[in-house]
Amino acid sequence: MTDDIKIPPRRPLTLKDVSEASGVSEMTVSRVLRNRGDVSDATREKVLAAAKSLGYVPNKIAGALASSRVNLVAVIIPSLSNMVFPEVMTGISEVLDDTPLQPVVGVTNYLPEKEEEVLFEMLSWRPSGVIIAGLEHSDASRAMLHASGIPVVEIMDVDGEPIDAMVGISHRRAGREMARAICKAGYENIGFLGTKMPLDHRARKRFEGFTEALAKEGVEVMDQEFYSGGSALKKGREMTQTILERSPDLDFLYYSNDMIGAGGLLYCLDAGIDVPGRIGLAGFNGVELLDGLPRKLATMDAGRREIGREAARIIAGRSDGSITETGQRVELTPKLQPGETLRRW
Amino acid sequence: MTDDIKIPPRRPLTLKDVSEASGVSEMTVSRVLRNRGDVSDATREKVLAAAKSLGYVPNKIAGALASSRVNLVAVIIPSLSNMVFPEVMTGISEVLDDTPLQPVVGVTNYLPEKEEEVLFEMLSWRPSGVIIAGLEHSDASRAMLHASGIPVVEIMDVDGEPIDAMVGISHRRAGREMARAICKAGYENIGFLGTKMPLDHRARKRFEGFTEALAKEGVEVMDQEFYSGGSALKKGREMTQTILERSPDLDFLYYSNDMIGAGGLLYCLDAGIDVPGRIGLAGFNGVELLDGLPRKLATMDAGRREIGREAARIIAGRSDGSITETGQRVELTPKLQPGETLRRW
DNA sequence: TTGAAAGCGCTAACAG
DNA sequence: CTGTTAGCGCTTTCAA
């Protein structure tokens, strides 16, 4: 009986295969597999058994085309390699896990052209929603998003006009509040250290808010230092040394993110500089890492996880019809964490 | 002329719309948009102009169904929140960026059931390939992967039998080599600190290789300490303090990852412990962060970026037909980085 | 170089 | 509760 040898199917199984194996119509098989409509227990059992034994995996492509429903949520972010966006992802996953929706991630590396590409690619899959970082996009990107008719939530930032919904914090305000806290603590010679990233609009806005609030107190940023690429912790060290050698009078350093701030803190401690007595330090983001440093860096928690959750809730709600409004605007409040690198006042 | 008011289309545009707008058949429009087959320049121009002015975005769902070609690569990883997988992702993106393929990420949180779910979900989109972390999967997962007929690359680990291709390092060997280096440096009372994660098979294999090689030298692990959740840096501090108080004779601490190792290092420096004289330290992964620490932690680079690149190359090659073999096995060599926390011998 | 016809595998809508 | 009939928007195939 050489005919007995089973050749494993190279062709993926279809509903028809399950239908034939179970003796139930394709339509009913489809109903069972989606838990839709009423099906008798007996039929259900038969179908389930057949599907399982065959190892049937439904073809969502066909399903999506037929139903014009796609349970995918496009998430478009600039980077995965700093701690901030993975945490947003965690928030998104947390709420989508309780829905039929699935996140699909695209990374833009802070490049508008890349964003456009990724967006086009993702929109061509007709997702149920788009969650995209930032409010600044190319005209083409905005047009696509607009024309798609798909729910869009722009996240992280609320300083600007959203295409549809937005969830985030005001980075201008975050910068202002940090400036006020610093002045209140009595620091006067303030330096700024950040990334060499003209396209990081949120960092830019924080800096703008920061200088604006300082100006109100009659203070100006005394010196600045920028970096790009490499280990942020190491860069933080190096930049700190550089700026302090150049401007020894500085008594406060404001970093555009916690990683370089942590590097700066390690440098100061190594160099025997009194923190926060001689020099105060502050970062931005509120990353978990800070918990393990020798001294806790002052920072401002951006509520990244909560931003992810809230954005996902909006998409999920619109997708299942429980939310019908559009244009939601959710502003979260960044929380100042004074840590131990800011003088008590 | 009130009829002049244009109501923006809620219905997504189709090929037909472009066809009508340009006066060219749907088929030819399709050819132009995909750069397939010969089309006269004149027609091409017309079509492109029409598509652009309408803001047409092709429907990949329909395209994929018709052509049974899906330019998606499923990437299934346990977590995004430690530094390791984002770096693998970077490697994957780097090579897929030069292809028509797009990565789609699914996260399993180290849970086999979740892995099964995510896998099922992703396979039902009929991706061009699957890149999945680890060699340990549930029977159901293995069966699905097998039956799918889709190229599968299991990554990170090579200690086991792959379903199809695999790319990674031998964690057993990594553990053994670290053990040898430690013994050679003259340390004798060795402690191990790791995660409380029975499902992290790679950490387990490293530990097995580690103890095995120690045993050959007549050495046993003297004490162990485990943690779960929270800031790894902080936990590293705490665990180190705990284990050293309990076993003051320890002269070496082997950490299952660099983050807790870094925490341990910071603790030792704070406590004024002579590193690597009194106590040696080593971690695992080779994360960039180590560059900025006061002293460079000994570690073993797992080549995560390269793993991602290699896996993506295999998928891309099979997908474009430039590779026809299956079952590739690529073992990368982890590189010991002695840093400054291991005595020179 | 262009077009017409026939599905891809599934589900909506309706009929029984 | 179950089945039948039409497509979903695109690409394949074949013909002009």
Side-chain angles (χ1 to χ4, degrees):
Chain A
M1 301 240 293
T2 49
D3 288 353
D4 222 40
I5 297 166
K6 281 191 200 152
I7 289 146
R10 265 319 43 149
R11 168 184 65 75
L13 297 160
T14 69
L15 264 191
K16 195 169 170 193
D17 296 303
V18 181
S19 164
E20 285 167 1
S22 61
V24 176
S25 78
E26 283 187 47
M27 196 53 233
T28 302
V29 171
S30 168
R31 286 193 183 99
V32 171
L33 265 22
R34 287 176 299 145
N35 291 311
R36 273 280 193 306
D38 295 318
V39 180
S40 74
D41 283 348
T43 321
R44 176 186 313 285
E45 300 303 318
K46 261 194 299 189
V47 170
L48 255 19
K52 169 166 270 183
S53 84
L54 292 176
Y56 171 70
V57 176
N59 184 331
K60 291 227 181 199
I61 312 253
L65 182 60
S67 64
S68 45
R69 245 190 296 282
V70 180
N71 59 349
L72 260 25
V73 177
V75 180
I76 299 175
I77 55 183
S79 159
L80 273 177
S81 48
N82 51 41
M83 308 267 52
V84 7
F85 296 104
E87 212 165 322
V88 176
M89 283 307 305
T90 302
I92 293 174
S93 297
E94 276 173 22
V95 353
L96 294 190
D97 268 356
D98 299 331
T99 76
L101 300 174
Q102 266 235 328
V104 177
V105 187
V107 176
T108 68
N109 296 317
Y110 288 97
L111 301 174
E113 320 87 69
K114 177 87 180 167
E115 179 179 277
E116 227 171 280
E117 270 176 49
V118 170
L119 196 54
F120 185 82
E121 199 67 21
M122 298 218 148
L123 287 180
S124 67
W125 287 100
R126 305 283 191 267
S128 294
V130 175
I131 297 177
I132 184 169
L135 292 164
E136 284 75 20
H137 314 287
S138 72
D139 288 344
S141 292
R142 297 180 66 88
M144 274 191 267
L145 249 6
H146 225 113
S148 71
I150 294 171
V152 176
V153 184
E154 288 167 280
I155 56 169
M156 311 308 286
D157 190 5
V158 299
D159 293 325
E161 274 308 305
I163 294 166
D164 175 2
M166 72 178 164
V167 177
I169 64 166
S170 164
H171 287 260
R172 286 225 171 73
R173 178 170 151 192
R176 282 198 303 265
E177 289 188 3
M178 186 54 88
R180 281 194 215 110
I182 291 168
C183 292
K184 214 163 163 185
Y187 296 102
E188 294 180 326
N189 301 318
I190 297 164
F192 177 82
L193 300 91
T195 42
K196 204 176 286 160
M197 280 258 235
L199 296 171
D200 185 344
H201 300 282
R202 294 176 290 286
R204 195 201 72 223
K205 289 173 185 175
R206 284 198 299 280
F207 183 64
E208 287 170 4
F210 187 70
T211 52
E212 175 201 317
L214 286 186
K216 282 218 176 103
E217 308 272 349
V219 177
E220 271 192 8
V221 168
M222 187 176 198
D223 197 357
Q224 302 181 218
E225 185 69 21
F226 298 93
Y227 81 106
S228 60
S231 158
L233 203 62
K234 184 180 189 188
K235 292 290 180 181
R237 271 178 184 279
E238 297 170 352
M239 293 161 76
T240 304
Q241 173 164 25
T242 306
I243 202 172
L244 287 180
E245 281 170 1
R246 188 171 56 217
S247 307
D249 291 342
L250 287 169
D251 66 357
F252 199 95
L253 300 177
Y254 181 40
Y255 296 86
S256 77
N257 69 63
D258 285 337
M259 251 348 220
I260 55 174
L265 174 58
L266 291 176
Y267 169 79
C268 289
L269 296 180
D270 274 7
I273 298 170
D274 171 19
V275 176
R278 165 74 190 81
I279 288 201
L281 305 173
F284 179 82
N285 265 336
V287 305
E288 204 183 41
L289 173 89
L290 301 180
D291 261 351
L293 295 178
R295 198 155 311 174
K296 211 162 167 189
L297 185 69
T299 190
M300 199 154 244
D301 181 17
R304 306 183 296 291
R305 175 112 151 251
E306 190 51 34
I307 287 176
R309 299 171 67 97
E310 197 53 48
R313 274 189 215 112
I314 291 173
I315 297 294
R318 293 228 214 142
S319 157
D320 70 16
S322 65
I323 298 181
T324 52
E325 319 89 272
T326 60
Q328 290 85 343
R329 297 179 178 215
V330 181
E331 176 172 355
L332 303 178
T333 314
K335 288 175 291 292
L336 177 71
Q337 302 181 338
E340 306 158 339
T341 62
L342 197 56
R343 277 200 291 261
R344 312 278 291 158
W345 59 86
Chain B
M1 301 241 292
T2 51
D3 286 356
D4 222 39
I5 297 166
K6 281 194 200 150
I7 289 145
R10 268 310 52 138
R11 168 182 66 74
L13 298 160
T14 68
L15 264 192
K16 194 168 170 193
D17 297 303
V18 181
S19 164
E20 285 168 1
S22 62
V24 176
S25 79
E26 283 187 47
M27 196 51 238
T28 301
V29 172
S30 168
R31 285 195 183 97
V32 172
L33 265 21
R34 286 175 300 144
N35 290 311
R36 274 278 191 306
D38 295 319
V39 179
S40 74
D41 283 349
T43 324
R44 177 186 312 285
E45 300 303 319
K46 260 195 300 189
V47 170
L48 255 18
K52 169 167 269 184
S53 85
L54 292 176
Y56 171 70
V57 176
N59 185 332
K60 291 228 179 200
I61 311 256
L65 182 60
S67 64
S68 45
R69 245 190 297 281
V70 179
N71 59 349
L72 260 23
V73 177
V75 180
I76 299 176
I77 55 184
S79 161
L80 273 178
S81 46
N82 50 42
M83 309 266 54
V84 8
F85 296 104
E87 212 166 321
V88 176
M89 283 306 306
T90 303
I92 293 175
S93 298
E94 276 173 21
V95 353
L96 294 190
D97 267 357
D98 299 331
T99 75
L101 300 173
Q102 265 236 328
V104 177
V105 187
V107 175
T108 69
N109 296 316
Y110 288 97
L111 300 174
E113 321 86 69
K114 178 87 181 170
E115 180 180 275
E116 225 170 282
E117 269 175 50
V118 170
L119 197 52
F120 185 82
E121 199 67 22
M122 298 217 149
L123 287 181
S124 67
W125 287 101
R126 306 282 190 266
S128 294
V130 175
I131 297 177
I132 184 169
L135 293 164
E136 284 76 19
H137 314 288
S138 72
D139 288 344
S141 293
R142 297 181 66 88
M144 273 191 270
L145 248 8
H146 226 113
S148 71
I150 294 172
V152 177
V153 183
E154 287 166 280
I155 55 169
M156 311 309 286
D157 190 5
V158 298
D159 294 325
E161 275 308 304
I163 294 165
D164 176 2
M166 71 178 164
V167 177
I169 64 165
S170 163
H171 288 261
R172 286 225 171 73
R173 177 170 153 193
R176 281 199 304 266
E177 289 188 2
M178 186 55 88
R180 280 193 215 111
I182 292 168
C183 291
K184 213 162 165 186
Y187 296 101
E188 293 180 325
N189 301 318
I190 298 164
F192 177 82
L193 301 91
T195 43
K196 204 176 285 161
M197 279 258 230
L199 296 172
D200 185 344
H201 300 282
R202 293 176 290 286
R204 195 201 71 223
K205 290 173 185 176
R206 285 198 298 280
F207 184 62
E208 287 169 4
F210 187 70
T211 53
E212 177 201 316
L214 286 186
K216 282 217 176 106
E217 309 272 349
V219 178
E220 270 192 9
V221 168
M222 188 176 195
D223 197 357
Q224 304 180 217
E225 185 69 20
F226 299 93
Y227 81 104
S228 59
S231 157
L233 203 64
K234 185 180 187 187
K235 292 292 180 179
R237 273 179 182 278
E238 297 170 351
M239 292 160 77
T240 303
Q241 173 164 26
T242 306
I243 202 171
L244 288 179
E245 281 170 0
R246 188 170 56 217
S247 307
D249 291 343
L250 287 169
D251 66 358
F252 199 95
L253 301 177
Y254 180 41
Y255 296 85
S256 77
N257 69 63
D258 285 337
M259 250 350 219
I260 55 174
L265 173 59
L266 290 177
Y267 168 79
C268 289
L269 296 180
D270 274 8
I273 298 170
D274 171 20
V275 176
R278 165 71 190 82
I279 287 200
L281 305 172
F284 179 82
N285 265 335
V287 305
E288 202 182 43
L289 173 88
L290 301 180
D291 260 351
L293 294 178
R295 197 155 312 174
K296 213 162 167 190
L297 186 68
T299 189
M300 198 154 245
D301 182 16
R304 307 184 294 293
R305 176 109 151 254
E306 190 50 35
I307 287 176
R309 299 171 68 96
E310 197 52 48
R313 275 189 215 111
I314 291 174
I315 297 294
R318 294 228 214 141
S319 157
D320 71 15
S322 65
I323 299 181
T324 51
E325 319 90 272
T326 60
Q328 290 84 344
R329 296 178 178 217
V330 181
E331 176 172 354
L332 304 178
T333 313
K335 289 175 290 294
L336 177 71
Q337 303 182 336
E340 306 158 339
T341 62
L342 196 56
R343 277 200 292 260
R344 311 277 290 157
W345 60 89

